């Protein structure tokens, strides 16, 4: 019996023809899915951590999770729209975590091609962030970040706006960052791209922690890591014309739909 290819739902190419209202609708579904996936993979730390997305338009408006809700309670409709200073735009039944958005606003205020920011406090991510060596080139996943990962020293709970300039300067043109003694962060042009990068970084951290507990780390030669990372980029760019991460993210959304479709509400 022949099988038809799985339908790709809410992928990034729909944005090209969308009105701002339709773009926001799709973005809300994708971002709510990302929150549910973070919960599904066990990357949550109570109600903390944030995934944010900049909406199109001249105004700097962003989507962020309602503060106080578990990640598995986030839906497309209860995501909160805020401005660059963290003020709620329009109506929301929920507050936002101002401290959490300070980190995100540092990247969003740069108005670069990166529209999405994902930051987590996972056990493996915080473990690697707590080492002097940082991320080591010991796995295929880590090669995706060969010479492409930034570091930012811990300055305490992110309450002070002056940290934004230093964080942005440390990030530079990289799209992944180890927040030392804190956690991990990825940015991207779309929600699927940023999530795929977050998955790879988290997996690289998990592998490093596991390998370190098993024996001495076998660090790859720089030329091997560089070639592997470049090849991964080429593969991801050629995978589909719908954008990096679109195929993987659509598959993950289908997985969510089999479990609970309420994130779409």
């Amino acid at each position: 019996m022949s099988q038809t290819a799985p339908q790709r739902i809410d992928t990034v190419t729909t944005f090209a023809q969308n009105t701002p209202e339709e773009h926001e609708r799709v973005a809300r579904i994708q971002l709510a899915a990302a929150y549910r996936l973070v919960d599904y993979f066990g990357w949550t730390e109570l109600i903390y951590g944030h995934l944010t997305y900049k909406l199109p338009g001249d105004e700097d408006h962003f989507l962020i999770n309602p503060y106080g809700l578990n990640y598995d309670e986030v839906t497309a409709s209860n995501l909160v729209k805020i401005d660059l200073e963290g003020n709620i735009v329009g109506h929301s039944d929920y507050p936002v975590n101002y401290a959490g958005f300070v980190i995100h606003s540092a990247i969003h205020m740069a108005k670069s091609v990166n529209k999405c920011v994902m930051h987590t406090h996972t056990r493996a991510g915080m473990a690697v962030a707590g080492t002097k060596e940082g991320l080591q080139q010991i796995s295929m996943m880590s090669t995706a970040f060969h010479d492409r990962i930034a570091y930012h020293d811990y300055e305490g709970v992110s309450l002070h706006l002056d940290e934004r300039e230093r964080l942005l300067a440390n990030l530079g043109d990289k799209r992944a960052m180890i927040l030392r003694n804190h956690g991990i962060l990825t940015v991207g042009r779309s929600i699927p791209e940023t999530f795929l990068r977050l998955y790879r970084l988290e997996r690289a951290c998990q592998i490093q922690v596991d390998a370190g507990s098993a024996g001495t780390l076998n660090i790859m030669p720089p030329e091997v890591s560089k070639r592997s990372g470049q090849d991964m980029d080429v593969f991801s760019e050629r995978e589909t014309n719908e954008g990096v991460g679109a195929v993987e993210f659509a598959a993950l959304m289908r997985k969510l739909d089999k479990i609970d479709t309420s994130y779409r509400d």
Side-chain angles (χ1 to χ4, degrees), residues 4-21:
T4 57
Q7 184 182 9
R8 296 176 188 169
I9 314 169
D10 300 327
T11 50
V12 291
T13 48
T14 56
F15 288 158
Q17 297 84 25
N18 281 349
T19 63
E21 292 76 18

Side-chain angles (χ1 to χ4, degrees), residues 134-135 145 147-153 166-180 183-185 201:
L135 188 68
F145 304 98
D147 200 28
R148 300 175 191 175
I149 190 156
Y151 291 86
H152 176 68
D153 288 338
R166 292 185 291 278
L167 190 147
L168 188 60
N170 290 153
L171 180 63
D173 61 356
K174 305 292 195 301
R175 292 188 174 179
M177 174 177 274
I178 299 286
L179 300 167
R180 291 194 183 277
I184 60 176
L185 178 146
L201 182 55

Side-chain angles (χ1 to χ4, degrees), residues 103-104 107 117-120 167 171 175-179 183-187 198 201:
I103 291 174
H104 292 248
I107 290 96
V117 181
M118 297 188 178
H119 168 46
T120 58
L167 190 147
L171 180 63
R175 292 188 174 179
M177 174 177 274
I178 299 286
L179 300 167
I184 60 176
L185 178 146
T186 61
V187 303
L198 180 68
L201 182 55

Side-chain angles (χ1 to χ4, degrees), residues 18-37:
N18 281 349
T19 63
E21 292 76 18
E22 181 64 12
H23 186 126
E24 180 174 337
R25 185 192 71 82
V26 174
R28 282 179 174 273
I29 293 172
Q30 285 188 342
L31 192 60
Y35 276 102
R36 296 294 183 97
L37 288 168

